[in-house]
Amino acid sequence: MQGMRNFVMDTALVATLLVVTMAPLSATAHAQAILGEPVVRATGMATVEAAPDYVEFWLRMSRSGTTFEEAAAATEGIEDLILEACEALDLAPLDVKASAQSIEDVDDLRVTRTVRLRFAARVMGNAEESRRHFAWLCDRNRALATELACTLEGPFLGVNERERIEQSALTRAMENAYPLAQRAAAEMQSTVTSVQEADIAEVIWNDDPNWRGPQPEYGRVTCTVRVRMVYTIGSY
């Protein structure tokens, strides 16, 4: 997202993206002069949602020994151990990625490795079937962690095309800021002539301001963007 910050657009806003949910227009607009040009500032916010592509679980394996060398040996081959245990539990991860061995405290003869397991989300047309599958996936990963004497974190939902969804939310937030700027300009018998600056103030995942329930839900993830806009204004 860093490449999108503080960019200047020379053309008027064009909106073409569909947004499923939209945050309220909690935005402000006011006039100011920058480099001698009259401008108005406005803040817009929007939320878009998408079906999750994957579910992640994180296993943390810690082994101790009389020496660090002995403890490290106990964590060797962790990927193969996990794949064998997954097969026995009918789990089919898309990806298994293990960290290097970690020694957190030289006074504690313990070596730790962390493993990320990623599974297809399998969001189905039947909501009840999707929920059952999600519960089954959580149960199986709990069993996996117990069998391997690991701690478990998750589930975490994610999407493959984060940048595309963030761009969609950004575009809609910019659209939402424009009418506020236009109204502010009209109060001064002026109109918006161009976009001078856009600054992304915030990008938040899975914190839809319009939803009070736990987030994310299995069937959807959300991305909320708040953007601060600066527009030049001129006479009618």
Side-chain angles (χ1 to χ4, degrees), residues 105-127:
D105 186 348
V106 74
D107 291 324
D108 182 10
L109 289 169
R110 185 180 302 275
V111 173
T112 301
R113 296 188 71 180
T114 301
V115 181
R116 184 195 71 193
L117 288 87
R118 179 175 289 185
F119 300 87
R122 288 183 61 185
V123 177
M124 306 163 188
N126 186 312

Side-chain angles (χ1 to χ4, degrees), residues 3-229:
M4 292 192 291
R5 290 190 176 276
N6 298 319
F7 63 92
V8 177
M9 298 177 61
D10 296 323
T11 59
L13 293 174
V14 178
T16 59
L17 294 172
L18 174 65
V19 175
V20 183
T21 60
M22 183 174 65
L25 295 182
S26 57
T28 59
H30 65 273
Q32 186 180 350
I34 296 180
L35 300 177
E37 289 186 293
V39 300
V40 292
R41 298 177 181 271
T43 299
M45 183 168 63
T47 297
V48 300
E49 67 177 53
D53 295 310
Y54 58 81
V55 185
E56 287 183 349
F57 295 87
W58 292 76
L59 294 173
R60 183 178 175 87
M61 173 186 283
S62 291
R63 297 292 184 264
S64 56
T66 58
T67 64
F68 282 118
E69 186 177 1
E70 181 181 306
T75 68
E76 293 290 349
I78 188 173
E79 295 97 331
D80 292 336
L81 285 174
I82 287 175
L83 287 174
E84 290 175 7
C86 282
E87 184 175 357
L89 291 167
D90 294 325
L91 285 169
L94 297 173
D95 181 55
V96 176
K97 185 173 183 179
S99 71
Q101 295 166 334
S102 172
I103 297 173
E104 299 179 12
D105 186 348
V106 74
D107 291 324
D108 182 10
L109 289 169
R110 185 180 302 275
V111 173
T112 301
R113 296 188 71 180
T114 301
V115 181
R116 184 195 71 193
L117 288 87
R118 179 175 289 185
F119 300 87
R122 288 183 61 185
V123 177
M124 306 163 188
N126 186 312
E128 185 176 345
E129 187 177 352
S130 291
R131 287 192 293 268
R132 283 200 302 266
H133 173 73
F134 187 44
W136 177 89
L137 195 58
C138 291
D139 285 338
R140 286 295 191 274
N141 276 273
R142 280 172 54 86
L144 178 67
T146 299
E147 181 176 337
L148 298 176
C150 297
T151 59
L152 179 67
E153 292 183 67
F156 303 103
L157 302 178
V159 292
N160 295 326
E161 298 183 333
R162 286 178 65 92
E163 289 188 4
R164 180 184 63 81
I165 295 170
E166 289 172 350
Q167 182 63 53
S168 297
L170 171 62
T171 300
R172 186 59 177 173
M174 293 169 68
E175 290 176 355
N176 291 343
Y178 181 76
L180 300 169
Q182 191 69 284
R183 288 200 294 269
E187 291 294 323
M188 297 174 285
Q189 289 75 50
S190 300
T191 187
V192 170
T193 57
S194 65
V195 177
Q196 186 175 95
E197 184 178 327
D199 176 55
I200 301 170
E202 199 170 43
V203 178
I204 301 176
W205 280 87
N206 299 317
D207 190 18
D208 182 356
N210 286 331
W211 182 249
R212 304 297 295 177
Q215 298 182 53
E217 300 172 276
Y218 183 58
R220 69 172 193 139
V221 294
T222 64
C223 178
T224 301
V225 171
R226 185 165 60 89
V227 62
R228 290 188 288 258
M229 305 292 298

